[in-house]
Amino acid sequence: MTAFLEMTNVSKVFSAGIIRRQHTVAVDDVTMTIDEQSPSILAVAGESGSGKTTLARLLLGVIPPSSGEVIYRGQSVDDLSRAQRRTYLREIQPIFQDPFESYNPFYKVDHVLTVPAKKFDLAASREQTMRLIEEALDMVGLQPAETLGRFPHQLSGGQRQRVMVARAMLLRPRLIVADEPVSMVDASLRATILESIRRMKQELGISVVYITHDLTTAYQIADNILVMYKGSVVEAGSVEQVIRDPKHPYTQLLVSSIPQPDPSLPWGAEGEIAGDPESMEVAATGCKFVDRCPVAFEPCSGQRPPLYHEHPSRAAACFQYDGSPALEGQNLDVVFEPQLTSQAAGGSQEPAAN
Amino acid sequence: MNNGAVLTVSDLRVYYDTDAGTVKAVDGVSFDLRPGERLGLVGESGSGKSTMALALMRLHKPPARIAGGEVLLDGVGDVMKLDDDGLRRIRLDRLALVPQGAMNSLNPVMRIRDQLADGIRTHEPGDTRDDLAERIQAQLARVGLDAEVGGKFPHELSGGMKQRVAIAIGTSLSPSVIIADEPTSALDVVVQRQVMETLRSVQEELGASVLIVGHDMGLMAQIADRMGVMYAGKLVELAPVHDLFTNPQHPYTRLLIESVPTLMAKRALASIPGAPPTLINVPPGCPFHPRCPSAFEPCDSEVPLPTAQNGRVVSCHLYPGEAA
């Protein structure tokens, strides 16, 4: 059985400048699988410049990797036939950050729903198209009668973003890649959008890659998380393990820097912030976090730390854990939950008693 | 009037005249800012919080206009009644702004030191060149920036550094009131933490009072001493930050706190049903009543007046009491 989508040692390097050419490694050697049988929500977390959006674009096939492969149903995304590419483009749907720029202001919001329905031949008749659209709107908690027939500016930011979620859902994808879907939406409406993303997984069995800078919402809706720093995965595993008990000093800093909505809790710990958090420079060798790490020791500036499998559902790329085995081939699948069952034939995994 | 407050805002109204009607962005807001305190003011987009922050310094832009109320600055009088010259004199000197998104508020073609010198020279022209250079250097050091930053242009600085420069400019004349409008909204968490620590240390060093406007409940919980909540142009609740989080009174405050995800526990995310009103068509009575789970008979017709109870103020019919 082949997996739905795989990344094998995927890297993406951007180059700029004519005379003094500069190379930025936006995504550095990522290997993981997104499976169809066991849908899950994977959060990709990081600050600006971490490479999280580049990772999303690689998954969506918008940009090709510089090395490594993105493999869709057993075939490299580069080598898909026209028909295969069409299915690929339907099965992986994006949701973008800005609910204002995703619309053409001259068209009613219906446009973003009817066009993909037509393009991908979702329905045999106009009535059936409308029924599908109404179902999708219903799923995200919008009243079709109050939504359809309106122009984008007549809806609030939250409503517009929910129409985008409905659009993605309408195409019955297997994977949704949502890039900061709630960062421009007000707090009181955020929950509705995140809840509809969670329902997609639970009720429709759609996997979600949730790209975010916000570890709190990641913790709330995701099963697994991958924390990126300057293109590299520094820590990955189940959200319970990674966010409640982070092991990499960078993840620890991120988690403790989140201001908690409780005045009796402290904000951060002493001596945690070292170096310049906004420096764009990356050491050529050694750990990328070494300049900012409060616990750096000798091996850290010598070579890049591999991901150490120091807990069954967590791995951290930090030499503090070099007593644990490194992840084989840097493959993240073993730390994610639920464990992929692709090797053991899928169907036989059901519990014996009902 | 003088209860020891540095700034006393009474019944402030800021309206926008538009073709579609009058938008009451700030509709009868009253509060006071005490010496040395950090007062947080939260609200969703369109609640009027930024309009109010700017209007306190009369920096609002047309079609916004002050439709009523007064803003008494200790030792100065009503800021709303000052003439241009009087206004120019108190801005930066007594009442300073740390704007939202410093990247857009710095002059892109002027070196940082010249932007700092600008305000100081205008208000205190007596300094010699050396004195001025020294002051600028001290001011940069105060916000944790190296002296060499003074010679740079804004585009050479990172987002966090630009925001520190904005704090340095805002506090260069030791104002008694600092108004910070979403000072860290575009920054990553670690940088946000550093910038807020800088703002806090400068404010404490100066003994100034600061009004922080924002939408991040977590940030407010960590930084504010007292906190106010705005909804549809009105201040619906104002209380010491600890009381507000442990025992919110107004249903909107309670729902807003419940809608904030935390790292403490996984739970079904709560959201407030409905959407905030557009300020052209604010519902009659309490503006929150169509979304309020506790709404009862007077809510859709009578506007609730602010009432005071144990050091907090709440505008809700559930809490009849003494008028604040």
Side-chain angles (χ1 to χ4, degrees), chain A residues 325-353:
Chain A
L327 282 189
E328 208 175 310
Q330 296 281 87
N331 190 330
L332 299 170
D333 297 344
V334 290
V335 298
F336 289 153
E337 292 171 346
Q339 281 293 302
L340 299 186
T341 50
S342 49
Q343 268 72 24
S348 63
Q349 294 291 312
E350 279 162 58

Side-chain angles (χ1 to χ4, degrees), chain B residues 153-173:
Chain B
F153 290 100
H155 74 264
E156 298 176 275
L157 306 181
S158 65
M161 289 163 93
K162 276 185 266 197
Q163 201 59 51
R164 281 158 191 269
V165 169
I167 295 173
I169 294 175
T171 56
S172 56
L173 298 173

Side-chain angles (χ1 to χ4, degrees), chain A residues 280-341:
Chain A
M280 296 305 284
E281 273 157 46
V282 183
T285 56
C287 175
K288 293 177 180 175
F289 191 60
V290 68
D291 298 335
R292 294 177 55 193
C293 186
V295 295
F297 59 123
E298 304 104 71
C300 302
S301 39
Q303 52 180 355
R304 290 263 144 89
L307 283 156
Y308 290 109
H309 196 185
E310 46 70 50
H311 180 278
S313 46
R314 184 180 55 218
C318 175
F319 285 118
Q320 290 180 91
Y321 311 104
D322 66 355
S324 308
L327 282 189
E328 208 175 310
Q330 296 281 87
N331 190 330
L332 299 170
D333 297 344
V334 290
V335 298
F336 289 153
E337 292 171 346
Q339 281 293 302
L340 299 186
T341 50

Side-chain angles (χ1 to χ4, degrees), chain A residues 8-31:
Chain A
T8 52
N9 304 101
V10 168
S11 295
K12 180 72 190 176
V13 182
F14 291 109
S15 304
I18 298 166
I19 297 160
R20 276 207 347 229
R21 225 161 156 67
Q22 292 186 326
H23 302 282
T24 308
V25 184
V27 169
D28 196 353
D29 193 14
V30 176
T31 300

Side-chain angles (χ1 to χ4, degrees), chain B residues 47-67:
Chain B
S47 61
K49 58 185 190 304
S50 283
T51 300
M52 197 198 62
L54 292 176
L56 292 178
M57 300 184 69
R58 300 236 315 260
L59 283 171
H60 58 284
K61 295 207 180 79
R65 63 181 166 91
I66 307 288

